[in-house]
Amino acid sequence: MDVLERYEPLVDDFRAFRAACERPLPSVVRVNEIKATPERAMDALDDEGVAYEPVEWHPGLLRLDSTSPGRTWGAYHGWLHGQEEVSTLPALVCDPQPDERVWAACAAPGGKATQLAALADDEGTIVANDRSLGRLSALRFNAERLGVTSMAVTNRDARNYSLKPFEFDEFDCALVDAPCSCEGTIRKNPDALDEWSLEYIDSIAATQESILRRAVQATRSGGSVVYSTCTFAPEENEAVLDSVLSAEDCRLVEFSCALETRPGVTEWQGEAFDRSVRKAKRIYPHLNDTGGFFCAKVEVGG
């Protein structure tokens, strides 16, 4: 089965979409503003002779003329962190404030969780969780390298996450960057679709729904939950949102995004979704020369 062809009805320029999926992904780093300003980070790259280009829509992102961004002086000292351009969007949508308690439900290896900490000026509390003990070592390494001090790391199943060990009983906001079929990473991982199956999509969608429901339950009324995946499959995106909207006290809200996007789809293979899923944003590789992505913002309570 040609996996990408199943999405031809959703993409307005399928030929451009397909061509973009076959090109290598640009090398991008995020400036870690806990340790450095974008200007200082660019000066360090200049001193090292590494060519770069600032990303137009975000001053803290740089496209490097290098296939090894992690070997730069700035990366070694925690000024830079290799992070796919579009994957910086969820933390920006969360927009955590310095006094807030934020849950990163599926946080390893730590790119988005450490970005949350930087956006909150490394204050407040970032609870970075992952059920994979092996992946947590990368999260801890990145948090230490980037100078994050506001983070608590936990190793639990997000589907039934308990706040009992903490001195609070709800979060101000949450980020569910859910495990997924990773179709949108094909530019970075050409073998991403080798093990693809509808059975896996159905299985992982059930997990995604459970994690998102728990995030809504654990977030205060008036707080927000950001849901993101790096896949194109509506089963893992709009269908998950539709189910959670029916089961929990929450609603989808609009959010700004400087990238070119497409709205969430309201119908897929005969299944209709809540009309509000159009407030979610689909990002196809050919629109901004990035990976594929999906992002939605949920407001908790009436």
Side-chain angles (χ1 to χ4, degrees), residues 35 48 69-81 141 144-146:
K35 286 193 170 185
E48 200 173 359
R71 296 182 180 179
T72 62
W73 184 95
Y76 181 80
H77 290 279
W79 290 21
L80 301 173
H81 180 71
F141 171 81
E144 182 175 349
R145 179 177 59 86
L146 299 173

Side-chain angles (χ1 to χ4, degrees), residues 1-111:
M1 177 181 182
D2 187 323
V3 176
L4 296 180
E5 278 191 3
R6 79 189 296 256
Y7 303 118
E8 187 169 4
L10 305 181
V11 182
D12 48 16
D13 188 345
F14 187 73
R15 181 175 295 182
F17 165 79
R18 182 119 204 182
C21 288
E22 294 172 356
R23 292 195 301 268
L25 191 67
S27 180
V28 175
V29 294
R30 170 176 59 84
V31 177
N32 172 34
E33 297 198 47
I34 293 174
K35 286 193 170 185
T37 63
E39 291 74 22
R40 289 188 70 192
M42 287 187 284
D43 286 344
L45 289 170
D46 288 336
D47 291 343
E48 200 173 359
V50 178
Y52 60 86
E53 178 184 2
V55 171
E56 184 176 347
W57 69 276
H58 190 312
L61 297 177
L62 306 171
R63 289 193 177 193
L64 301 191
D65 185 16
S66 169
T67 57
S68 303
R71 296 182 180 179
T72 62
W73 184 95
Y76 181 80
H77 290 279
W79 290 21
L80 301 173
H81 180 71
Q83 189 167 341
E84 213 274 284
E85 182 177 332
V86 75
S87 75
T88 63
L89 178 61
L92 296 171
V93 177
C94 271
D95 189 27
Q97 301 304 302
D99 60 342
E100 289 186 328
R101 296 158 177 162
V102 183
W103 185 35
C106 313

Side-chain angles (χ1 to χ4, degrees), residues 41 43 47 59 96 110 160 179 186 222 235 288:
D43 286 344
D47 291 343
N160 50 27
I186 189 171
E235 296 94 335
N288 308 276

Side-chain angles (χ1 to χ4, degrees), residues 181-221:
S181 59
C182 299
E183 296 166 342
T185 69
I186 189 171
R187 299 184 65 184
K188 180 173 62 176
N189 305 309
D191 59 350
L193 305 182
D194 288 357
E195 302 298 322
W196 187 96
S197 71
L198 282 172
E199 291 77 13
Y200 178 75
I201 283 183
D202 290 340
S203 173
I204 200 65
T207 298
Q208 293 160 341
E209 179 184 340
S210 295
I211 296 173
L212 183 54
R213 288 190 63 180
R214 182 64 192 120
V216 171
Q217 295 162 3
T219 301
R220 64 171 174 81
S221 180

